[in-house]
Amino acid sequence: MNASTGPGGRDRPGGRVLSSVRLWFAPARLAEEGSTPDYRFSLANERTFLAWLRTALALIGGGFAVDQFLPDLRWGWRVGLALALLAAGVLCALRAVNHWVRCERAMRRGEDLPVSRFPALLSIVIAIVALAMVVIVLAGWAG
């Protein structure tokens, strides 16, 4: 029995999530699972992780830019758009490390790579923010 399982080896609610989060801070523990994949796949997984982090940084930068460089924008719009971009950046950064661990674990175990709805969700959030910006630009900033 480990931290993610209860009596009889059954998964406890949230046990797999906690186990995955622990791997964020101890990736060397991944070496205990399965066999070492072709290094090219691990490096590709790392490049994908870094691309997600660049996206997160761009979203966070965009959130700060909206807040700092659009002072004439009505306060509610400015703060709402800035917070939406900042939240998307935070979620993107957290999802990046989670996806990296899940993919690395799957490769070591010889399993299919995990699928995710997160890219679609992030795209929708960014599209909504972009549409709001279009409406603001067309309607005029000052309110």
Side-chain angles (χ1 to χ4, degrees):
M1 183 165 57
N2 63 34
S4 65
T5 58
R10 294 184 309 268
D11 283 340
R12 285 191 320 202
R16 283 193 286 170
V17 172
L18 182 60
S19 175
S20 184
V21 170
R22 285 185 181 144
L23 287 176
W24 293 8
F25 303 102
R29 288 186 46 212
L30 282 173
E32 299 168 5
E33 297 190 30
S35 60
T36 302
D38 185 331
Y39 71 91
R40 293 173 293 181
F41 298 123
S42 289
L43 292 174
N45 189 30
E46 185 175 339
R47 284 190 302 273
T48 303
F49 166 74
L50 293 172
W52 279 104
L53 285 185
R54 285 190 300 273
T55 302
L57 287 170
L59 290 165
I60 291 167
F64 280 116
V66 165
D67 184 54
Q68 294 299 308
F69 299 120
L70 300 176
D72 295 335
L73 187 60
R74 194 178 291 169
W75 182 85
W77 280 106
R78 189 179 78 235
V79 170
L81 292 171
L83 288 177
L85 289 169
L86 290 168
V90 168
L91 290 174
C92 192
L94 293 174
R95 183 66 179 123
V97 70
N98 180 268
H99 189 70
W100 176 82
V101 167
R102 290 175 61 217
C103 286
E104 198 66 29
R105 178 183 265 175
M107 287 188 298
R108 295 190 69 78
R109 292 178 175 177
E111 300 171 351
D112 290 339
L113 293 178
V115 296
S116 174
R117 293 183 187 114
F118 185 77
L121 176 66
L122 183 62
S123 296
I124 290 168
V125 168
I126 292 171
I128 290 170
V129 170
L131 286 173
M133 291 298 291
V134 167
V135 168
I136 290 168
V137 167
L138 291 176
W141 293 24

